Amino acid sequence: MSLQHGRQTMSPWFVLAVVVFTVAAGFAASSQAELAPGKFYEAVGNKVDARTYNGFRRYHGSCNHCHGPDGMGSTFASALVDRLPGIEVFRRNVRDGVRSGASVMKGFADDPNVAPYIDDIYAYLQARADGALGRGRPERLEN
């Protein structure tokens, strides 16, 4: 700030910085606001946001062995895209595991390749369940 006749005025550089920051914050907020309420993904055609793409990678690294490619199910475990539970149930099931009759899924709370990425995996499966994303490897949306 500079002093001018006993009053403080703002430097033009400070004003420019505030304007740039405000515009950038608006863009960031608008990209988050584009997600529909309750949706964890952004999908345009076969392109997805970074979170959903990471979910695809994590799912196929740890979950598809039982739940099948693209969440379609297998002889070992049910399809996840047919009846995807709400996020809280999904988190609990993945962390703690599930026992249903003779069928048992171990918990992944201690798995560093799964536990920190449960919401990413959910985003991928939610996009698949909603029909917003087809089968196979998606592409990444440009930022």
Side-chain angles (χ1 to χ4, degrees), residues 4 8 15 26 29 31 45 48 53 58 60 69 82-83 93 95 98 115 119 121 128 134:
Q4 182 182 36
Q8 292 183 344
V15 173
S31 68
V48 296
Y53 185 81
R58 300 294 174 169
H60 284 86
D82 291 341
R83 293 183 319 173
N93 289 348
R95 275 192 320 264
V98 177
D119 286 3
I121 295 167
R128 290 277 303 122

Side-chain angles (χ1 to χ4, degrees), residues 48-81:
V48 296
D49 61 296
R51 167 191 250 180
T52 306
Y53 185 81
N54 187 50
F56 164 84
R57 292 177 51 246
R58 300 294 174 169
Y59 174 86
H60 284 86
S62 299
C63 311
N64 79 325
H65 307 300
C66 295
H67 289 283
D70 305 309
M72 299 295 293
S74 73
T75 57
F76 295 112
S78 63
L80 296 171
V81 297

Side-chain angles (χ1 to χ4, degrees), residues 110-124:
D110 295 329
D111 188 327
N113 294 308
V114 176
Y117 307 104
I118 293 173
D119 286 3
D120 294 5
I121 295 167
Y122 189 83
Y124 165 68

